[in-house]
């Protein structure tokens, strides 16, 4: 059987470079208002991402130097990276445990830390995951702040025991990539699986074996918040090979290089819309209740428009001539299987003496999860006020993208499912901010 270079095959079949770096640099500059100059890549493997980062030193129009640190426990892959890549002096590769990674390298601390390709899933318990994320938080600068970027995956077929495969391009001698799931425990979410490659003669080579815990989006979000990160942003996306497109994958392999939809916002909205569709939506006007359905999800899931199940439904209001009234409005999202609301949005409907009206939202309250895990923000209520009734034409609620997965988790929990495992297969980048000390004092 001919030998194959498993690292070259991995890069051709699995490794995305341009897409994650593009997302990281954009989110970093937006959050911290400075260019990304120092990057640490944990579980770096062949250090493809790190190499591209330092090579693109002038990509953001700033001529300042870029520095990079790659950390991996496997001495063989570190040596492969050194043999196959021409790293500048501003890059350092270390063979070691990411838990022991130095806080400073080449005279600086990292602006951002990457842990992609689900590598942190090697941590099987919340304690170990917290320990790792706390070490990352401690390594980022206190005064200037920093960013950590992780990834996650899930969906109906993501954990099915068996083999799925696709063609591999760009790696001589390798024709197909296979993802073989040997075992999956839905209770512990521990998965044993391997990456296999088929050579040109039809022989199949097992290149990598893994045993890890598939952490859910809400578990990762909660862990990041516990260790001190803020503004956690899951971006439901996919790396389509080594290009700049970011999209939601149509299947589990898309997270490892297969093309997906070209419009990330539209696709993410569709996935998250289906998550919200698993919930029952009720709008309370005073003591009267109206049922609503999800009509639209926009802004990659950050704005949800609800439409009345019965467009003709109205709520009668006690009318008092010459007096204005403030009527509480509440939007509840409840699992369709029953139980307590997973989130509530509170607002006020103000009806003036002449029958005109206006409305405003209040900061949302959450009932099913900790506030740090389930942050949502206020929306608005569109309505027509008559002399004796109010018709709510639509309801808009603003929702943190990070929390739509939590909403789906709550809806699925009654049926023994967690996260987005009932939905189509998906992939997400997860970005979290370490707030600079200067921002905390504002």
């Amino acid at each position: 059987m001919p030998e194959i270079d498993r690292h070259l095959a991995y890069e051709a079949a699995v490794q995305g470079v341009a897409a994650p770096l593009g997302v990281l640099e954009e989110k970093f500059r937006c959050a911290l208002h400075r260019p990304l100059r120092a990057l640490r890549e944990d579980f770096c493997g062949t250090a493809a991402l790190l190499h591209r980062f330092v090579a693109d030193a002038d990509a953001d129009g700033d001529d300042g130097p870029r520095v990079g640190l790659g950390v991996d426990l496997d001495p063989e892959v570190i040596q492969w990276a050194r043999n196959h890549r021409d790293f500048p002096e501003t890059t350092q590769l270390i063979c070691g445990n990411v838990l022991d990674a130095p806080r400073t390298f080449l005279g600086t601390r990292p602006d951002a830390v990457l842990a992609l390709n689900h590598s942190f899933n090697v941590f099987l318990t919340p304690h170990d995951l917290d320990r790792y994320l706390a070490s990352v938080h401690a390594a980022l600068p206190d005064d200037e702040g920093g960013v950590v970027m992780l990834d996650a995956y899930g969906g109906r077929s993501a954990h099915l025991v068996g083999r799925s495969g696709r063609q591999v391009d760009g790696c001589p001698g390798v024709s197909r990539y296979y993802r073989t799931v040997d075992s999956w425990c839905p209770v512990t979410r521990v998965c044993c699986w391997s990456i296999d490659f088929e050579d040109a003669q039809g022989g199949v080579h097992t290149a990598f074996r893994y045993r890890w815990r598939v952490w859910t989006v809400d578990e990762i979000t909660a862990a990041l918040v516990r260790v001190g990160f803020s503004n956690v942003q899951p971006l439901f996306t996919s790396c389509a090979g080594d290009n700049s497109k970011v999209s939601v994958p149509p299947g589990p392999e898309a997270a490892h290089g297969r093309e997906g939809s070209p419009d990330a916002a539209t696709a993410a909205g569709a996935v998250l819309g289906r998550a919200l569709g698993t919930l029952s939506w009720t709008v309370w006007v005073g003591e009267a209740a109206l049922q609503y359905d999800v009509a639209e999800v926009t802004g990659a899931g950050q704005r949800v428009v609800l439409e009345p199940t019965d467009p003709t439904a109205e709520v009668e209001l006690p009318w008092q001539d010459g007096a204005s009234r403030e009527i509480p409005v509440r939007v509840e999202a409840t699992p369709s299987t029953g139980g307590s609301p997973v989130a509530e949005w509170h607002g006020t409907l103000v009806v003036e003496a002449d029958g005109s009206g206006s409305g405003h939202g209040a900061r949302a309250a959450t009932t099913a999860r900790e506030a740090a895990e389930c942050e949502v923000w206020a929306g608005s209520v569109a309505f027509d006020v008559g002399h004796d009734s109010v018709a709510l034409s639509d309801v808009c609620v603003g929702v943190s993208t990070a929390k739509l997965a939590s909403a789906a988790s709550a809806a699925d929990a009654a049926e023994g499912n967690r996260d987005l495992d009932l939905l189509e297969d998906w992939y997400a980048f997860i970005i979290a901010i370490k707030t600079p000390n200067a921002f905390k004092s504002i």
Side-chain angles (χ1 to χ4, degrees):
M1 185 178 294
E3 291 294 326
I4 65 170
D5 188 323
R6 62 176 185 155
H7 300 302
L8 281 178
Y10 181 92
E11 289 189 351
V14 176
Q15 183 80 65
V17 174
L21 283 179
V23 171
L24 175 63
E25 292 187 51
E26 175 187 354
K27 294 297 182 181
F28 182 90
R29 187 181 286 272
C30 180
L32 298 175
H33 312 293
R34 70 178 193 269
L36 175 59
R37 282 293 167 209
L39 176 65
R40 188 179 104 189
E41 184 183 2
D42 286 351
F43 313 94
C44 68
T46 63
L49 281 161
L50 194 67
H51 183 262
R52 172 68 69 87
F53 172 76
V54 294
D56 289 347
D58 298 329
D60 56 12
D62 190 332
D63 292 331
R66 288 183 170 188
V67 297
L69 171 66
V71 183
D72 199 286
L73 194 60
D74 183 359
E76 189 260 338
V77 74
I78 288 290
Q79 191 58 51
W80 188 98
R82 289 171 176 158
N83 293 341
H84 288 76
R85 292 204 154 89
D86 184 16
F87 289 99
E89 294 182 355
T90 57
T91 307
Q92 184 178 2
L93 297 181
I94 294 177
C95 179
N97 193 322
V98 294
L99 294 171
D100 302 321
R103 294 190 180 184
T104 62
F105 60 96
L106 299 173
T108 188
R109 295 175 75 172
D111 293 321
V113 175
L114 283 176
L116 298 182
N117 289 341
H118 323 300
S119 48
F120 65 94
N121 285 353
V122 298
F123 299 116
L124 302 182
T125 67
H127 175 269
D128 290 339
L129 180 61
D130 285 3
R131 182 185 173 199
Y132 168 64
L133 295 177
S135 71
V136 171
H137 187 274
L140 296 170
D142 296 323
D143 294 336
E144 295 182 314
V147 169
V148 62
M149 182 169 169
L150 313 168
D151 58 359
Y153 72 97
R156 286 192 187 100
S157 64
H159 316 302
L160 292 179
V161 174
R163 171 177 286 182
S164 58
R166 54 180 166 76
Q167 183 175 329
V168 175
D169 298 317
C171 184
V174 176
S175 61
R176 292 187 65 81
Y177 156 90
Y178 294 103
R179 179 178 184 268
T180 303
V181 178
D182 298 314
S183 65
W184 159 252
C185 178
V187 177
T188 63
R189 299 186 66 85
V190 172
C191 180
C192 294
W193 66 286
S194 64
I195 289 178
D196 309 316
F197 296 107
E198 183 178 316
D199 61 39
Q201 285 72 45
V204 177
H205 307 249
T206 296
F208 302 96
R209 292 189 181 276
Y210 304 93
R211 180 177 183 269
W212 64 27
R213 173 170 173 167
V214 184
W215 295 95
T216 66
V217 171
D218 49 330
E219 287 174 333
I220 298 168
T221 299
L224 287 164
V225 171
R226 280 197 301 270
V227 302
F229 286 100
S230 60
N231 191 20
V232 182
Q233 304 174 34
L235 305 172
F236 287 78
T237 61
S238 170
C239 299
D242 188 13
N243 58 44
S244 59
K245 290 184 179 180
V246 179
S247 59
V248 170
E253 298 89 357
H256 304 292
R258 191 176 70 189
E259 283 194 35
S261 165
D263 187 341
T266 300
V271 171
L272 297 173
R274 286 193 292 274
L276 290 171
T278 66
L279 303 174
S280 176
W281 295 83
T282 305
V283 177
W284 292 85
V285 181
E287 297 301 318
L290 297 171
Q291 297 303 311
Y292 277 71
D293 302 312
V294 175
E296 183 182 10
V297 181
T298 62
Q302 294 185 356
R303 181 173 178 269
V304 179
V305 180
L306 305 174
E307 62 183 5
T309 303
D310 179 2
T312 64
E314 293 187 350
V315 175
E316 293 187 0
L317 301 174
W319 181 253
Q320 298 177 3
D321 287 329
S324 62
R325 288 155 296 153
E326 291 189 359
I327 301 171
V329 176
R330 185 172 81 255
V331 182
E332 290 183 348
T334 306
S336 57
T337 52
S340 302
V342 297
E344 298 177 351
W345 293 259
H346 296 268
T348 304
L349 172 64
V350 180
V351 182
E352 304 297 344
D354 61 2
S356 63
S358 61
H360 63 275
R363 189 170 183 84
T366 59
T367 58
R369 295 175 183 275
E370 297 178 7
E373 290 186 58
C374 209
E375 179 184 357
V376 292
W377 59 88
S380 61
V381 178
F383 53 87
D384 298 318
V385 179
H387 215 64
D388 57 359
S389 66
V390 57
L392 287 83
S393 56
D394 60 40
V395 177
C396 302
V397 291
V399 186
S400 168
T401 305
K403 310 314 167 193
L404 300 188
S406 294
S409 286
D412 294 343
E415 299 179 6
N417 300 292
R418 302 180 63 189
D419 205 87
L420 298 173
D421 288 341
L422 286 185
L423 300 180
E424 292 182 7
D425 302 319
W426 55 267
Y427 174 79
F429 294 124
I430 303 176
I431 295 177
I433 312 299
K434 178 177 180 177
T435 305
N437 286 339
F439 289 11
K440 295 177 183 178
S441 62
I442 295 176

